[in-house]
Amino acid sequence: MDNQLGYFTLDTVDIARAKAFYGGLFGWTFEDQGETYTHVAGSNPACGFTKAERAHGHSNLYFRVEDVDAAVARVAELGGRAAVPADSASGRSATVCDDQGMSFSLWQPGEGY
């Protein structure tokens, strides 16, 4: 089902430490996807850790949508702001802000997600 929480990431300055901590706490295993991202294997909703320059103390919520480009246009129509959508191995996404400045992301899953 679209338009629900489909994915989230946690920013971390050290992915290896995050994997050790959360793996030890929850028994999670990971699927590394380059040096800047690791996916929590079997997570539902899907989640992972993104390398950040500094800890922000918040998560990044990705709401699953059928069409990222259409959703980005709708954000602007409603008074929000949006970054240009980008493609990755997991699909297409864009970081947006609502009309009050709250940041979240939109995610259009790729094949297999």
Side-chain angles (χ1 to χ4, degrees):
M1 175 183 284
D2 288 327
N3 304 320
Q4 293 190 19
L5 182 61
Y7 201 93
F8 71 92
T9 61
L10 299 172
D11 288 345
T12 182
V13 295
D14 188 328
I15 288 179
R17 283 182 61 185
K19 286 169 49 176
F21 180 87
Y22 289 94
L25 179 62
F26 298 125
W28 290 349
T29 58
F30 302 89
E31 299 166 349
D32 292 334
Q33 302 196 359
E35 296 179 16
T36 60
Y37 180 74
T38 190
H39 177 77
V40 177
S43 55
N44 186 16
C47 66
F49 294 91
T50 302
K51 174 95 169 105
E53 292 300 313
R54 56 187 155 76
H56 299 288
H58 62 82
S59 58
N60 301 301
L61 302 176
Y62 289 76
F63 291 96
R64 184 181 187 122
V65 296
E66 187 173 319
D67 182 338
V68 163
D69 297 287
V72 161
R74 185 70 178 137
V75 165
E77 290 170 7
L78 294 169
R81 295 174 297 154
V84 175
D87 295 308
S88 70
S90 67
R92 189 164 174 79
S93 63
T95 301
V96 302
C97 291
D98 68 15
D99 63 342
Q100 298 181 62
M102 175 62 79
S103 177
F104 61 95
S105 294
L106 303 170
W107 175 54
Q108 177 183 332
E111 281 192 40
Y113 285 89

